[in-house]
Each structure stands twice: as C-alpha cells, then as structure tokens.
Amino acid sequence: MQGDLTAASPCIQGRRGGRGGETMQQPHRRRDRLTQRTEERTTMTAAWRQLPVLILLILAPCRTVSSKSVDPTTQPLVSIASQPTDTRSVVLQESVDQTTQTLVSIGPQPTDTRTFVLKGDTTFKNVELLNPVNLSLECVWTGSQNKQPSITGYWRKDGAEVQDSRVTVNLKEQQYNLTKVFSIASEENLGNYTCVFGNEFEMYFILGAPQMGEIRDKPIVSYVGDLVVLICKMDEKKPKPNTWTWYKFNGTDREEISAATDPHRYLTINDGWKTKLKVKNVSEADSGLYHCGAVYNISTSMTHVELKVITIMEPLKPFISILIEVIILVAAILIYERSRSKKKEAEANGPNAEPKNAQPQTEDNGGEESSSVRQRKA
Amino acid sequence: MSYTLDRKMPPAPADVSGPKPLDGGWGWMVVFGAHISIGFAYSTPKALSIFFKEIQEDLGASYSEIAWISSIMLAVMYAGGPVSSMLVSRFGSRPVVMMGGLMCGVSMVTASFGSSIVYLYLCIGIIGGWGLCFNLNASLTIISKYFLAKRPLANGLAMAGSPVFLCFLAPVNQFLLGHYGWRGSLLILGGMMLNCCVAGALMRPVAQPCDLRACAPPQEVKQTNNTKSSGSCMKNVKTFVDLSFFKDQGFIIYLVGNVMFIFGAYAPIVFLSAYAISLGVEEYSAAYLLSIMGFVDMFVRPGTGLIANSKWIRPRIQYLFSFAMVFNGTFHLLCPLMTTYTLLVAYAVFFGVGFGMVFALIFECLMDLMGSQRFPSAVGLVTIIECFPMLLGPPAAGFLVDVFGDYKYLFFMCGGVITTGGLFLFVMNVYNYNRLDRASRGDDAEQNQNTTENQEQVTPAGCTVGSAAQDDQ
C-alpha cells in the first residue's frame, strides 16, 4: 500500500510532529494562527455536486517525490507509524486556482490537524479527505467598505449553525480571521462548512471523499442474453480506493450488494482505480441504475451507471419500416418508368411506325432528341 | 459546344458523337440519386467512428484495431475502382448502384451481429467498402452520361452529398447509439444504406447496352485496329487497357496533381481538433470547428459547380481546379499562425471553402479531360492510385507530429504538398494546352470530317461505340 500511495501522489512530504493528545499543532506554518476546537453537527448535504474539476491543476506545481513544498514556510510532515497499516502522510500541494485541495493523511487517531485557509478571493474550497483527521478551517476576509473593529463570526455545517461557534472577530492587520478545528471522524462529519462574517460575507469548505470525475450520462445499451460490463473509474491522480462496492437500487431505496449475492450472474473485478461489474445473461429486469462506490476510510463516494436492456425487436422495427420504404420507392420508380415507356412506345408505334430508333425501351428518346438538337446549337 | 472547340481537347469529340446528354429533365433526378449515393460513400467511413468507442468497450479491442475498420473501408472503396468501372461499362450504372446499396445494407446488418473485430473488418470493411465503391464509381459515371453543358453544376450538386450526409449522419448516429447501442444502430444504418438502391433505381440508363442486331452493322464497318471480338460492344471493355491512359499527358498531369492533393488533404481534418485542443481550446469548441468546415463545404460545392458552369470559367476549368488547390494549400500553410479560437474558426471556414472547391471539381476535371466514354475506366484507375496517398497521408502527418512534437510541421507539410500540386497542375496545364492547341490547329479539318462520319453511324444505333473511333485520334 505504501507503494500505491507513492504512485498515487507524486508529491510526497515527510511528516513530522503531532502525536496523540495534541489538539493544536503546527508542523507546517503557513501562518501563525490560533486554532479552536469545537464539535460539529452532523448532516450530509448534496455538496457532492461540487466536483473537484481541476484537480490536475493541483499537480501542476508538484514536482518530485520529495519534501519540496509550494509554500516555503510549510514544514514537511513526517511519517507516523503507530499501527501496522501504512502511516505515511501524504500532502498534495494547493492547486493554482486554490479551489481544490486533496489531503491524504493517515493516522489511526484523528490526532493530526491540518489547516486549510480560505482567503477572501475564493468563495469556496473543495477538500478531499481519505482518513479521519482534525481539520483546522480558517477563513480570511479583508472586510467591506467600513471596517468595523470587530464583528461576529460563526460557523455553519450544512446550513445549520454549529453550536458554540459564535465568536467575536477582531480586525487585525486589515483582516478578519475566523478559525475553527473540526474533528472529521466519520462520514457524518463530511459536508459543507460555511464561515459567516457578521451578516455580510460567507465562504465555505466542502469536505468529502475523492469524487469520480467521469459520470457517463448516457445509458449502456445491451441486448437480452448478452454479457455486459459496467465500469467505474476513479481518476488515477486521486488516491486509490481501498475497495469498490456495487449496489443496485430496487425501485424503492432498498440497496442490494451485487458482488457476492449471485456468483453465477455477477462478477466483480476490482483493479485499483477501476472496477468492472460483469453481468451475465442480462434480461430486461436487469435494466436500471447501478451504483458503484469507491470505499475510502472516511466514506464512500458513489456514482452510477445506467443499464438499459432491450430485445432485438426494438431496432428491428425501424429497420423493417425503412426496408419497406425502400422497396416501395424502388418499385414505384421502376413501375413509373415501365408505364412511361409503354406509353411512349404506344405513341411511337401508332402514328409513327418508322424504326428510326432501335431503342423501343428507352423512354426519353423524344426528349433526348429535342434536347440534343438544342445541344448542337449551343 | 464552342467552348470545347476552343480548348481543342482530344476527348471533346467523344462527347459530341455519343448519345446526346439530356442536361436536364430526368437528369436532375439522377443527380439526386447520385447525391445520395456519393453522400453515403464519403460520409459512412467517417460517421462510423462515432460507434468506435462503444464497440471498443464491448469487444475489448484497442483503439487502433477499431480504427482499422474505417481504413479498410476507405481502402477497399478506392481500390475497387477498376472492377467497378468494368461492371459499369458492362451493365450500366443502375444495376451496379443497386447492387452496391444492397451490399452496404447487408454489410451493416451482418456486422450488427458481430462478436469479434475480424468479423467487423470483413463485414464493414470489405463488404461495405465494395458496396460503397460501386456506389461512388457508378454515380459519377452516370452524371457524365446525363450532363454535358451543365455538368459542372451537376457534379457540384452530387458531390455536395458528402458534407450533407456527414452533417446528417453524425447526430443521427449519436441518437441511435443512445437508444439502441451500437448493434441496433448498425442494423438501422444498414437499412438507411439500402436507400442507395432507391438512388440506383433513379439512375435510368441513357442508352441500352448494345444488343447485337442494332450494333452489328456499324460495328463491322468500323472494325479498326482495336482487338474487339465480334458482335457485342459490351466487349469494348476489354479494349480499355488500363495502361493506355498513361500515354495521355493530360491524364498523367491530373493524376500527379491529384495524388499530391489527396496526400495532404485529409491529415488536417484528422488533426484539427487535436491542434485546437493543444492551443487551449475546449473539446466541444474544437469539435465544432469541423462542423463549421462541413457546413461551409455543403454550400461551396454546388456554388463552385455553378461558377464552373459559367461561360467564362468552363473552358478554363482546369485552371480553376489548380487555383482551388493552391487556395486550399495556402490556408494550411497559414494555419500555424492561427492561435486564437476566432482565427481558427476563420481557418475552418476557408478550409471548408478550399476543400469544397477542390472536391466539386475533382471529378468534373477528369470528365473534362477524358470525356464521358473514357471516364468510367479513368475514374477507376484514378481511385485505385489515390488509395495510396489517402492511406499514407494521415499517418505520415501523425509521424511528423510525434517526431517534432508540434502541429505546425503537419500543416506546413500538407499545405506545401497541396500548393505544389496546384502550381504543378497550373503550369503543366498551360504547357499541355498550348501544345495541343498547336497540334490540333493543324488537323482541324480532318477532325470535323471524322466527327460528322461518327455521328451518322452512331446515332441510329445509339450504342456507345463512338469511343472506338475516338481511340484513333
């Protein structure tokens, strides 16, 4: 797994400091800030919509597998080995546009606190987490026109105000600073964290597991009796999922785990960043949405693939109709031609019996001759 | 036919002495049929690429293996030219196009049941390619039989089928893919291609293939050095020894210019999107560039046909063709300067104009050179020779991109080759026509005599035997 992590994140920094019990740490000092501890409410929102689109830009400034950092004031982090599992901590640099950042930190306990700063120029930040961690979220705002010496700031999680989060924020160095440490221990702690400055300004962090980029909006169409392969892929630049799971919703929201329930029909092949679900001998009942989940320590990020099973009759109907149309048109054209030639023949043989043209079957003779006369003069 | 006499081109009398072209009336229905036929022929290999991703996933093949389907189809379509020419000369256009339509339909329908990539190569590539080959060749031939005075316009309208059908097939294919998957889509596409049979039905034969009674008398009189077996003038086909074309200077010039054009023509189309994306353009906008080009192409082809038909241009149509090539090549050379999206759109527009102009004239010029009697065999020979630059062009361009890592060398190469071809055509045509002018001014009187003789002999039978006399000249 260590090797996988190396492959996953091109920039690896050693991690130092921070062992159990500490609530406050600053192994990487971007800025000297105070952190606060609090408890978070737990609700999940549909903030999954905010896909970290330009995660590639995160890696643009990344260079080598070393302890190089974009911010020279950041101290590299060292590995912590407290469990037999891999404990090296990996940090990816901030993206150029500073909207997305991925954190991969490993520690058996949510003891490592990582600080994320949101400055006034960006209104939100997407944070992808792998493991439980203590996050120190910091909002910096330069204030409005009339800068009051102090304003009230508080935090909201998923729309609901976080208890005991109201503080008075003082204007320091022309900036307002609102910081809070959140313990992200499980899936319930993920979501949309908004920091609010008085009634005037808001910024938010979206915390979640790494999202899958490509969502196929068109259904996979298959025929009855075929073998279908459904594929879900996680961007290889993001951390590798621990495993994958597949679900099929049964109309109502009851979930079914597809993998092991029916080994004769389903076969799952999990291959790191890609998973394949092979469904044998599909029938029309197999149509519907299949949800694949990339399982991480912190939570599972889901996406879906639609399968549509049709019988051969479906495309056959338009085909037959086109075939009939073709046959009708061809017959019509040939019959029209035959009837015209018979008419011309009748006219030609009647009044004019000269076999000048030995072409009884060519209908356009009369027309041709007159036009050919025109041609000669042209 | 004052313009042809001005030109003093050798094949001109062939047009005069054959059955008189209709130049209208049912001819426009024939043009419509040719439009459909040519449309399917050129657009199907490109439109099929929409299915490739799904086929690739389903059959588990690599992208290059899948891309071979299109290449095989194009290769067979071009390489089958001589065979198609022979069949057209023997049976006329109608049966050949109907046969071609049937083959295309069958190929797509059988391909929809395929489960291996080799099977698809066979069905779509080979059978489909043959079907399209028959379509293309026969459609062009019948236009040359039906039109003379308005032939450039007819050609322009018929060749416009290619961009029209591409614009039409691309979204239709997407729609079908979403609803029926690739198998159902191929099935339905096969049905649509059966419409080529309808197009074939429209191609009423101009003159019957000779029946012995009618042909025999003039035939015996006109037995010349051509090694014809007695009786049926269908055997004329055997006298069209392919190599005899290579003695014709005009044909060689045309061939060289054409080969150079085809070598550089398709690579920019293949790489335009990639080049735009490399400049930072979005994927959708980059794909849009090709649609713009196709859309412009659609109108430019008939427009060029109309222009080429005019009194001033028609006698100098070969020069218009070389101008079109130089125009096309110049814009390829300028393409590396186009670094913003607006400039790329402008490039796409001018690319469409140049491309459309060349393709509207490409077969018209051959008809002009060869005359309607020799055209069927000539076009077969031209297409089989064009097969090589067409298959070699895009990979050679891709190789340049790989070696230099920059798209501009691709455009320089393509633009350079096409412009050189155009200039070559222009210069050589000037030289060739001057030479022919001087030669034919000498035997003007002889020519007129022969022409009237042939007309008397040929008109009653209506057979296409005039060519025999023309070979003498």
Side-chain angles (χ1 to χ4, degrees), chain B residues 71-99:
Chain B
S71 306
I72 293 180
M73 198 178 201
L74 273 172
V76 173
M77 181 171 111
Y78 271 65
V83 176
S84 181
S85 304
M86 252 170 39
L87 288 174
V88 167
S89 302
R90 187 180 173 88
F91 296 112
S93 286
R94 172 185 268 172
V96 176
V97 176
M98 291 183 79
M99 176 67 153

PDB file of all heavy atoms in Angstrom, chain B residues 71-99:
ATOM      1  N   SER B  71     -10.323   2.474 -42.023  1.00  0.00           N
ATOM      2  CA  SER B  71      -9.246   2.486 -43.019  1.00  0.00           C
ATOM      3  C   SER B  71      -9.473   1.414 -44.068  1.00  0.00           C
ATOM      4  O   SER B  71      -9.296   1.661 -45.262  1.00  0.00           O
ATOM      5  CB  SER B  71      -7.893   2.252 -42.346  1.00  0.00           C
ATOM      6  OG  SER B  71      -7.704   3.169 -41.318  1.00  0.00           O
ATOM      7  N   ILE B  72      -9.886   0.233 -43.616  1.00  0.00           N
ATOM      8  CA  ILE B  72     -10.127  -0.845 -44.582  1.00  0.00           C
ATOM      9  C   ILE B  72     -11.268  -0.460 -45.509  1.00  0.00           C
ATOM     10  O   ILE B  72     -11.220  -0.680 -46.720  1.00  0.00           O
ATOM     11  CB  ILE B  72     -10.444  -2.171 -43.852  1.00  0.00           C
ATOM     12  CG1 ILE B  72      -9.226  -2.663 -43.096  1.00  0.00           C
ATOM     13  CG2 ILE B  72     -10.905  -3.230 -44.842  1.00  0.00           C
ATOM     14  CD1 ILE B  72      -9.452  -3.960 -42.359  1.00  0.00           C
ATOM     15  N   MET B  73     -12.291   0.139 -44.917  1.00  0.00           N
ATOM     16  CA  MET B  73     -13.447   0.531 -45.727  1.00  0.00           C
ATOM     17  C   MET B  73     -13.032   1.537 -46.803  1.00  0.00           C
ATOM     18  O   MET B  73     -13.394   1.397 -47.971  1.00  0.00           O
ATOM     19  CB  MET B  73     -14.489   1.150 -44.806  1.00  0.00           C
ATOM     20  CG  MET B  73     -15.854   1.202 -45.406  1.00  0.00           C
ATOM     21  SD  MET B  73     -16.999   1.900 -44.228  1.00  0.00           S
ATOM     22  CE  MET B  73     -18.505   1.278 -44.915  1.00  0.00           C
ATOM     23  N   LEU B  74     -12.269   2.548 -46.412  1.00  0.00           N
ATOM     24  CA  LEU B  74     -11.822   3.542 -47.376  1.00  0.00           C
ATOM     25  C   LEU B  74     -10.908   2.928 -48.422  1.00  0.00           C
ATOM     26  O   LEU B  74     -10.999   3.245 -49.612  1.00  0.00           O
ATOM     27  CB  LEU B  74     -11.077   4.668 -46.652  1.00  0.00           C
ATOM     28  CG  LEU B  74     -11.931   5.810 -46.118  1.00  0.00           C
ATOM     29  CD1 LEU B  74     -11.089   6.727 -45.271  1.00  0.00           C
ATOM     30  CD2 LEU B  74     -12.549   6.581 -47.258  1.00  0.00           C
ATOM     31  N   ALA B  75     -10.018   2.066 -47.961  1.00  0.00           N
ATOM     32  CA  ALA B  75      -9.067   1.465 -48.894  1.00  0.00           C
ATOM     33  C   ALA B  75      -9.788   0.634 -49.947  1.00  0.00           C
ATOM     34  O   ALA B  75      -9.513   0.745 -51.142  1.00  0.00           O
ATOM     35  CB  ALA B  75      -8.062   0.600 -48.139  1.00  0.00           C
ATOM     36  N   VAL B  76     -10.740  -0.181 -49.490  1.00  0.00           N
ATOM     37  CA  VAL B  76     -11.462  -1.020 -50.445  1.00  0.00           C
ATOM     38  C   VAL B  76     -12.302  -0.155 -51.372  1.00  0.00           C
ATOM     39  O   VAL B  76     -12.415  -0.418 -52.576  1.00  0.00           O
ATOM     40  CB  VAL B  76     -12.355  -2.039 -49.697  1.00  0.00           C
ATOM     41  CG1 VAL B  76     -13.239  -2.795 -50.655  1.00  0.00           C
ATOM     42  CG2 VAL B  76     -11.495  -3.000 -48.909  1.00  0.00           C
ATOM     43  N   MET B  77     -12.870   0.901 -50.821  1.00  0.00           N
ATOM     44  CA  MET B  77     -13.711   1.783 -51.624  1.00  0.00           C
ATOM     45  C   MET B  77     -12.916   2.387 -52.776  1.00  0.00           C
ATOM     46  O   MET B  77     -13.410   2.526 -53.883  1.00  0.00           O
ATOM     47  CB  MET B  77     -14.260   2.890 -50.727  1.00  0.00           C
ATOM     48  CG  MET B  77     -15.167   3.849 -51.423  1.00  0.00           C
ATOM     49  SD  MET B  77     -15.927   4.925 -50.227  1.00  0.00           S
ATOM     50  CE  MET B  77     -15.166   6.447 -50.607  1.00  0.00           C
ATOM     51  N   TYR B  78     -11.700   2.756 -52.503  1.00  0.00           N
ATOM     52  CA  TYR B  78     -10.885   3.338 -53.547  1.00  0.00           C
ATOM     53  C   TYR B  78     -10.238   2.293 -54.442  1.00  0.00           C
ATOM     54  O   TYR B  78     -10.126   2.470 -55.652  1.00  0.00           O
ATOM     55  CB  TYR B  78      -9.806   4.236 -52.917  1.00  0.00           C
ATOM     56  CG  TYR B  78     -10.245   5.656 -52.713  1.00  0.00           C
ATOM     57  CD1 TYR B  78     -11.267   5.965 -51.826  1.00  0.00           C
ATOM     58  CD2 TYR B  78      -9.670   6.682 -53.426  1.00  0.00           C
ATOM     59  CE1 TYR B  78     -11.680   7.264 -51.662  1.00  0.00           C
ATOM     60  CE2 TYR B  78     -10.074   7.990 -53.258  1.00  0.00           C
ATOM     61  CZ  TYR B  78     -11.076   8.276 -52.369  1.00  0.00           C
ATOM     62  OH  TYR B  78     -11.492   9.564 -52.196  1.00  0.00           O
ATOM     63  N   ALA B  79      -9.821   1.199 -53.809  1.00  0.00           N
ATOM     64  CA  ALA B  79      -9.077   0.221 -54.598  1.00  0.00           C
ATOM     65  C   ALA B  79      -9.962  -0.554 -55.551  1.00  0.00           C
ATOM     66  O   ALA B  79      -9.498  -1.070 -56.569  1.00  0.00           O
ATOM     67  CB  ALA B  79      -8.362  -0.760 -53.661  1.00  0.00           C
ATOM     68  N   GLY B  80     -11.248  -0.642 -55.224  1.00  0.00           N
ATOM     69  CA  GLY B  80     -12.136  -1.414 -56.083  1.00  0.00           C
ATOM     70  C   GLY B  80     -12.551  -0.678 -57.329  1.00  0.00           C
ATOM     71  O   GLY B  80     -13.390  -1.173 -58.094  1.00  0.00           O
ATOM     72  N   GLY B  81     -11.993   0.512 -57.554  1.00  0.00           N
ATOM     73  CA  GLY B  81     -12.385   1.343 -58.681  1.00  0.00           C
ATOM     74  C   GLY B  81     -12.390   0.655 -60.029  1.00  0.00           C
ATOM     75  O   GLY B  81     -13.398   0.684 -60.742  1.00  0.00           O
ATOM     76  N   PRO B  82     -11.292   0.026 -60.431  1.00  0.00           N
ATOM     77  CA  PRO B  82     -11.264  -0.587 -61.761  1.00  0.00           C
ATOM     78  C   PRO B  82     -12.326  -1.659 -61.950  1.00  0.00           C
ATOM     79  O   PRO B  82     -12.952  -1.734 -63.011  1.00  0.00           O
ATOM     80  CB  PRO B  82      -9.856  -1.190 -61.837  1.00  0.00           C
ATOM     81  CG  PRO B  82      -9.056  -0.435 -60.856  1.00  0.00           C
ATOM     82  CD  PRO B  82      -9.982  -0.035 -59.774  1.00  0.00           C
ATOM     83  N   VAL B  83     -12.541  -2.461 -60.921  1.00  0.00           N
ATOM     84  CA  VAL B  83     -13.562  -3.504 -61.039  1.00  0.00           C
ATOM     85  C   VAL B  83     -14.929  -2.863 -61.226  1.00  0.00           C
ATOM     86  O   VAL B  83     -15.738  -3.266 -62.071  1.00  0.00           O
ATOM     87  CB  VAL B  83     -13.570  -4.387 -59.772  1.00  0.00           C
ATOM     88  CG1 VAL B  83     -14.677  -5.388 -59.828  1.00  0.00           C
ATOM     89  CG2 VAL B  83     -12.229  -5.061 -59.615  1.00  0.00           C
ATOM     90  N   SER B  84     -15.155  -1.831 -60.428  1.00  0.00           N
ATOM     91  CA  SER B  84     -16.421  -1.130 -60.530  1.00  0.00           C
ATOM     92  C   SER B  84     -16.591  -0.522 -61.914  1.00  0.00           C
ATOM     93  O   SER B  84     -17.677  -0.572 -62.503  1.00  0.00           O
ATOM     94  CB  SER B  84     -16.464  -0.059 -59.434  1.00  0.00           C
ATOM     95  OG  SER B  84     -17.651   0.630 -59.467  1.00  0.00           O
ATOM     96  N   SER B  85     -15.517   0.054 -62.438  1.00  0.00           N
ATOM     97  CA  SER B  85     -15.591   0.650 -63.781  1.00  0.00           C
ATOM     98  C   SER B  85     -15.989  -0.382 -64.808  1.00  0.00           C
ATOM     99  O   SER B  85     -16.814  -0.130 -65.683  1.00  0.00           O
ATOM    100  CB  SER B  85     -14.230   1.212 -64.189  1.00  0.00           C
ATOM    101  OG  SER B  85     -13.784   2.126 -63.261  1.00  0.00           O
ATOM    102  N   MET B  86     -15.385  -1.560 -64.677  1.00  0.00           N
ATOM    103  CA  MET B  86     -15.698  -2.614 -65.643  1.00  0.00           C
ATOM    104  C   MET B  86     -17.153  -3.003 -65.582  1.00  0.00           C
ATOM    105  O   MET B  86     -17.831  -3.148 -66.598  1.00  0.00           O
ATOM    106  CB  MET B  86     -14.825  -3.841 -65.340  1.00  0.00           C
ATOM    107  CG  MET B  86     -13.755  -4.046 -66.364  1.00  0.00           C
ATOM    108  SD  MET B  86     -12.539  -5.258 -65.937  1.00  0.00           S
ATOM    109  CE  MET B  86     -13.484  -6.529 -65.138  1.00  0.00           C
ATOM    110  N   LEU B  87     -17.646  -3.143 -64.368  1.00  0.00           N
ATOM    111  CA  LEU B  87     -19.041  -3.537 -64.215  1.00  0.00           C
ATOM    112  C   LEU B  87     -19.969  -2.455 -64.750  1.00  0.00           C
ATOM    113  O   LEU B  87     -20.996  -2.748 -65.364  1.00  0.00           O
ATOM    114  CB  LEU B  87     -19.353  -3.790 -62.741  1.00  0.00           C
ATOM    115  CG  LEU B  87     -18.741  -5.054 -62.155  1.00  0.00           C
ATOM    116  CD1 LEU B  87     -19.015  -5.105 -60.668  1.00  0.00           C
ATOM    117  CD2 LEU B  87     -19.315  -6.280 -62.831  1.00  0.00           C
ATOM    118  N   VAL B  88     -19.597  -1.212 -64.531  1.00  0.00           N
ATOM    119  CA  VAL B  88     -20.443  -0.124 -65.002  1.00  0.00           C
ATOM    120  C   VAL B  88     -20.454  -0.087 -66.519  1.00  0.00           C
ATOM    121  O   VAL B  88     -21.496   0.107 -67.147  1.00  0.00           O
ATOM    122  CB  VAL B  88     -19.959   1.224 -64.418  1.00  0.00           C
ATOM    123  CG1 VAL B  88     -20.607   2.385 -65.129  1.00  0.00           C
ATOM    124  CG2 VAL B  88     -20.256   1.290 -62.943  1.00  0.00           C
ATOM    125  N   SER B  89     -19.275  -0.279 -67.099  1.00  0.00           N
ATOM    126  CA  SER B  89     -19.227  -0.263 -68.563  1.00  0.00           C
ATOM    127  C   SER B  89     -20.052  -1.401 -69.139  1.00  0.00           C
ATOM    128  O   SER B  89     -20.654  -1.269 -70.198  1.00  0.00           O
ATOM    129  CB  SER B  89     -17.784  -0.394 -69.037  1.00  0.00           C
ATOM    130  OG  SER B  89     -17.012   0.631 -68.503  1.00  0.00           O
ATOM    131  N   ARG B  90     -20.080  -2.501 -68.425  1.00  0.00           N
ATOM    132  CA  ARG B  90     -20.765  -3.674 -68.958  1.00  0.00           C
ATOM    133  C   ARG B  90     -22.262  -3.608 -68.725  1.00  0.00           C
ATOM    134  O   ARG B  90     -23.052  -3.862 -69.605  1.00  0.00           O
ATOM    135  CB  ARG B  90     -20.182  -4.918 -68.284  1.00  0.00           C
ATOM    136  CG  ARG B  90     -20.683  -6.200 -68.845  1.00  0.00           C
ATOM    137  CD  ARG B  90     -20.022  -7.348 -68.089  1.00  0.00           C
ATOM    138  NE  ARG B  90     -20.593  -8.611 -68.479  1.00  0.00           N
ATOM    139  CZ  ARG B  90     -20.171  -9.354 -69.510  1.00  0.00           C
ATOM    140  NH1 ARG B  90     -19.164  -8.934 -70.231  1.00  0.00           N
ATOM    141  NH2 ARG B  90     -20.747 -10.486 -69.800  1.00  0.00           N
ATOM    142  N   PHE B  91     -22.627  -3.278 -67.475  1.00  0.00           N
ATOM    143  CA  PHE B  91     -24.031  -3.384 -67.112  1.00  0.00           C
ATOM    144  C   PHE B  91     -24.739  -2.047 -67.004  1.00  0.00           C
ATOM    145  O   PHE B  91     -25.938  -2.002 -66.844  1.00  0.00           O
ATOM    146  CB  PHE B  91     -24.173  -4.108 -65.765  1.00  0.00           C
ATOM    147  CG  PHE B  91     -23.706  -5.523 -65.802  1.00  0.00           C
ATOM    148  CD1 PHE B  91     -22.571  -5.895 -65.101  1.00  0.00           C
ATOM    149  CD2 PHE B  91     -24.381  -6.474 -66.542  1.00  0.00           C
ATOM    150  CE1 PHE B  91     -22.131  -7.203 -65.129  1.00  0.00           C
ATOM    151  CE2 PHE B  91     -23.949  -7.777 -66.580  1.00  0.00           C
ATOM    152  CZ  PHE B  91     -22.823  -8.152 -65.874  1.00  0.00           C
ATOM    153  N   GLY B  92     -24.001  -0.969 -67.047  1.00  0.00           N
ATOM    154  CA  GLY B  92     -24.650   0.314 -66.818  1.00  0.00           C
ATOM    155  C   GLY B  92     -24.657   0.639 -65.339  1.00  0.00           C
ATOM    156  O   GLY B  92     -24.350  -0.187 -64.498  1.00  0.00           O
ATOM    157  N   SER B  93     -25.024   1.871 -65.033  1.00  0.00           N
ATOM    158  CA  SER B  93     -24.912   2.329 -63.642  1.00  0.00           C
ATOM    159  C   SER B  93     -25.967   1.746 -62.735  1.00  0.00           C
ATOM    160  O   SER B  93     -25.703   1.430 -61.583  1.00  0.00           O
ATOM    161  CB  SER B  93     -25.018   3.845 -63.581  1.00  0.00           C
ATOM    162  OG  SER B  93     -23.855   4.438 -64.043  1.00  0.00           O
ATOM    163  N   ARG B  94     -27.189   1.627 -63.247  1.00  0.00           N
ATOM    164  CA  ARG B  94     -28.284   1.268 -62.354  1.00  0.00           C
ATOM    165  C   ARG B  94     -28.072  -0.038 -61.610  1.00  0.00           C
ATOM    166  O   ARG B  94     -28.167  -0.068 -60.385  1.00  0.00           O
ATOM    167  CB  ARG B  94     -29.580   1.249 -63.125  1.00  0.00           C
ATOM    168  CG  ARG B  94     -30.735   0.695 -62.299  1.00  0.00           C
ATOM    169  CD  ARG B  94     -31.981   0.578 -63.123  1.00  0.00           C
ATOM    170  NE  ARG B  94     -32.757   1.788 -63.004  1.00  0.00           N
ATOM    171  CZ  ARG B  94     -33.834   2.032 -63.740  1.00  0.00           C
ATOM    172  NH1 ARG B  94     -34.206   1.170 -64.667  1.00  0.00           N
ATOM    173  NH2 ARG B  94     -34.511   3.143 -63.572  1.00  0.00           N
ATOM    174  N   PRO B  95     -27.788  -1.142 -62.312  1.00  0.00           N
ATOM    175  CA  PRO B  95     -27.622  -2.390 -61.565  1.00  0.00           C
ATOM    176  C   PRO B  95     -26.460  -2.310 -60.580  1.00  0.00           C
ATOM    177  O   PRO B  95     -26.522  -2.869 -59.484  1.00  0.00           O
ATOM    178  CB  PRO B  95     -27.348  -3.433 -62.636  1.00  0.00           C
ATOM    179  CG  PRO B  95     -27.672  -2.813 -63.927  1.00  0.00           C
ATOM    180  CD  PRO B  95     -27.589  -1.351 -63.749  1.00  0.00           C
ATOM    181  N   VAL B  96     -25.419  -1.588 -60.974  1.00  0.00           N
ATOM    182  CA  VAL B  96     -24.243  -1.545 -60.105  1.00  0.00           C
ATOM    183  C   VAL B  96     -24.555  -0.785 -58.821  1.00  0.00           C
ATOM    184  O   VAL B  96     -24.180  -1.212 -57.728  1.00  0.00           O
ATOM    185  CB  VAL B  96     -23.054  -0.897 -60.843  1.00  0.00           C
ATOM    186  CG1 VAL B  96     -21.862  -0.746 -59.935  1.00  0.00           C
ATOM    187  CG2 VAL B  96     -22.689  -1.732 -62.056  1.00  0.00           C
ATOM    188  N   VAL B  97     -25.263   0.336 -58.939  1.00  0.00           N
ATOM    189  CA  VAL B  97     -25.575   1.101 -57.725  1.00  0.00           C
ATOM    190  C   VAL B  97     -26.543   0.331 -56.848  1.00  0.00           C
ATOM    191  O   VAL B  97     -26.420   0.308 -55.622  1.00  0.00           O
ATOM    192  CB  VAL B  97     -26.153   2.492 -58.069  1.00  0.00           C
ATOM    193  CG1 VAL B  97     -26.562   3.220 -56.814  1.00  0.00           C
ATOM    194  CG2 VAL B  97     -25.132   3.298 -58.819  1.00  0.00           C
ATOM    195  N   MET B  98     -27.502  -0.322 -57.480  1.00  0.00           N
ATOM    196  CA  MET B  98     -28.451  -1.085 -56.661  1.00  0.00           C
ATOM    197  C   MET B  98     -27.742  -2.230 -55.948  1.00  0.00           C
ATOM    198  O   MET B  98     -27.996  -2.522 -54.784  1.00  0.00           O
ATOM    199  CB  MET B  98     -29.588  -1.612 -57.537  1.00  0.00           C
ATOM    200  CG  MET B  98     -30.471  -0.483 -58.030  1.00  0.00           C
ATOM    201  SD  MET B  98     -31.876  -1.019 -58.996  1.00  0.00           S
ATOM    202  CE  MET B  98     -32.979  -1.557 -57.741  1.00  0.00           C
ATOM    203  N   MET B  99     -26.827  -2.846 -56.682  1.00  0.00           N
ATOM    204  CA  MET B  99     -26.026  -3.903 -56.067  1.00  0.00           C
ATOM    205  C   MET B  99     -25.198  -3.348 -54.919  1.00  0.00           C
ATOM    206  O   MET B  99     -25.094  -3.943 -53.843  1.00  0.00           O
ATOM    207  CB  MET B  99     -25.104  -4.489 -57.152  1.00  0.00           C
ATOM    208  CG  MET B  99     -24.151  -5.510 -56.644  1.00  0.00           C
ATOM    209  SD  MET B  99     -25.065  -6.931 -56.121  1.00  0.00           S
ATOM    210  CE  MET B  99     -23.866  -8.164 -56.335  1.00  0.00           C
TER     211      MET B  99
END
